[in-house]
Amino acid sequence: MKIYVSVDMEGVAGIADWAQCIADGDDYALGRDLLVGEVNAAIEGAVAAGATQILVNDAHSAMRNLPPAALAGRAAYLSGRFKPWYMMEGLDASFDAIVFLGYHAAMATPGVLSHTYNPRAITNVTINGTVTGEAGLNALVAQHFRVPIAAISGDQHVGPEAAPFCPGIAAIAVKTSISRYAARHEHPETAREMIRDGVADALRRGTEPPTITMPATIEIEFLSPDMATQATWIRHVTRTGARTVSLTGDDPMSLFQAFISIVYLTRSLVETR
Ligand SMILES: [Zn+2]
C-alpha cells in the first residue's frame, strides 16, 4: 500500500500563531518539533494499516519545514518551492490513499490561522457554490488521479469543511479554535495518538475518490479589485464583480492548475509594507 501525506502546519496541536509556523518566527523551532511529531504519527498509523511506501509532501510556507532524517517509516520527502501542483505535488495514480495533515480552515471559516492558499489576497473560494478551503481545492487533484482522501487533521472546522469534497474523509480534531489566533490544544502525545489511530482506522476502512460534479465552477473573492483584474489574465477566468472572478471547466486538473496560477499571479499585488 502506497500512501501520500500532504503536510501543512497551521492545524498542528500547540500552534496558534504565525510566529510558530513561519521560518523566521521566534517560536518556529517549537512549531517544527510539534509538526514532526504529528507527521510521524500519521506515518506510523499508515504503516500499522499496511503501508509499505510513503511520500510526504511539505506544503507549508517555503515547504522545507521537516528534517528529512527525522521522518519515520523511511518516508520519502518532497520539499521546496514553485511546485506546479503545490500541496498535491508528487501525487499520481499509483497511490492508494491520501492524508491531509496539519490543515487549517478556509479564510471564510472562523478557524485558527484560517486562510485559503493566500491570506493576503484571497478572502473566499467556493466550488459549485460551497465554501471550500485548501482540502476541497486539493481534492480536484485527487479526483484527477482517482485516489481517495482518507483522513484530515486540524481544528474542529477542517473536517466538516472538507467533507462535501472528500467523501468519507475521517476528521481528526487535535485542537479547538477559540479565535483566529487562539485554540485549546490536545496534549501533543494525545494529538499524536489520535492521528496514529485515526489514520490507521481510516486506511483500514477505505474511502472513495472525490466526485466533485463536473463541469465545476470555482468562484474566488479577492481583497482588492486589482487582484480580480489580474486573475482574468488567465484563460477562461471571467469577472463577476469588483473583487470576484469565476472559472468553469470539466477537467478537475485544469481547474486546479488555473487556481494555482491565480495564486502565484496575485502574489505580485500583495502589499508587504
Ligand atoms: Zn500553511
Side-chain angles (χ1 to χ4, degrees), residues 8-10 60 104 115:
D8 209 345
M9 194 164 180
E10 294 87 345
H60 171 77
H104 52 80
H115 62 283

Side-chain angles (χ1 to χ4, degrees), residues 139 143 147-151 162-170 205-212:
Q143 180 158 331
V147 183
I149 302 157
F165 309 102
C166 311
I169 193 169
R205 193 174 59 244
T207 44
E208 294 300 311
T211 51
I212 297 165

